[in-house]
Amino acid sequence: IAAWIKPDGSFKPEANPDFRLIASYGSNNGTREHWDFKLNSDNTLSFFSADIPSDARSGIDSSYKVPNDVWTHVALQVSTTGLTYFVNGEKVDSKTFKSPIKNDTNGLGKRNFAIGALTEGLGSFRGGMAEFAIYKGLVDPKDTTTIPF
């Protein structure tokens, strides 16, 4: 998952949810049919997947804070054992899941996909977003940032 983002510095999330979505897939009904890539209220990068057991979800947010009002390329690589966050083509953080995830989506069928919000319209991203992409398989993040936005 990769995108150029420019978070609006004047926006302060105050309600629930208090984050800004870059992308989300599935329904947000608490089932394993959901994942999202977002900025937390303090602009740290975050990933959530209902496939990750609840006891393994803590501590997987990035420590990197995306600056407001600046175009920044963000990317995320997810595997069954962990995830890696990239900013402007450089690795900024990686996390290992406490237990591997199955990531078995074969039986899920068609689900909603949204850019800039949850599929229900919550957690709207305020600011600019461009050149959003999802890659199948691992891609060198430097290959996704050759032309600055």
Side-chain angles (χ1 to χ4, degrees):
I1 305 168
W4 285 94
I5 62 172
K6 183 181 179 184
D8 179 350
S10 66
F11 175 68
K12 304 292 183 229
E14 296 173 3
N16 188 14
D18 65 346
F19 50 77
R20 298 185 266 186
L21 265 293
I22 297 167
S24 67
Y25 172 80
S27 61
N28 191 26
N29 61 6
T31 68
R32 69 176 200 79
E33 304 168 353
H34 175 80
W35 63 255
D36 58 52
F37 180 36
K38 61 186 173 279
L39 291 180
N40 289 324
S41 60
D42 64 354
N43 278 17
T44 53
L45 292 167
S46 177
F47 178 75
F48 169 86
S49 171
D51 280 332
I52 303 169
S54 58
D55 65 337
R57 290 183 193 145
S58 65
I60 63 171
D61 293 345
S62 170
S63 58
Y64 183 87
K65 292 184 179 184
V66 176
N68 283 322
D69 304 313
V70 175
W71 282 106
T72 305
H73 189 268
V74 295
L76 173 71
Q77 288 180 341
V78 181
S79 72
T80 58
T81 57
L83 49 89
T84 305
Y85 296 96
F86 297 87
V87 173
N88 295 326
E90 300 295 325
K91 177 180 167 181
V92 295
D93 211 344
S94 63
K95 304 292 181 175
T96 301
F97 299 137
K98 292 178 183 173
S99 56
I101 61 172
K102 293 182 181 179
N103 198 26
D104 178 16
T105 57
N106 292 330
L108 293 181
K110 293 181 180 178
R111 297 288 181 250
N112 294 325
F113 179 79
I115 297 173
L118 288 170
T119 57
E120 295 83 7
L122 302 171
S124 298
F125 187 88
R126 305 285 172 86
M129 189 179 307
E131 298 181 23
F132 179 87
I134 294 181
Y135 299 92
K136 184 175 183 177
L138 295 178
V139 176
D140 186 335
K142 291 181 181 179
D143 292 341
T144 68
T145 60
T146 54
I147 303 171
F149 185 77

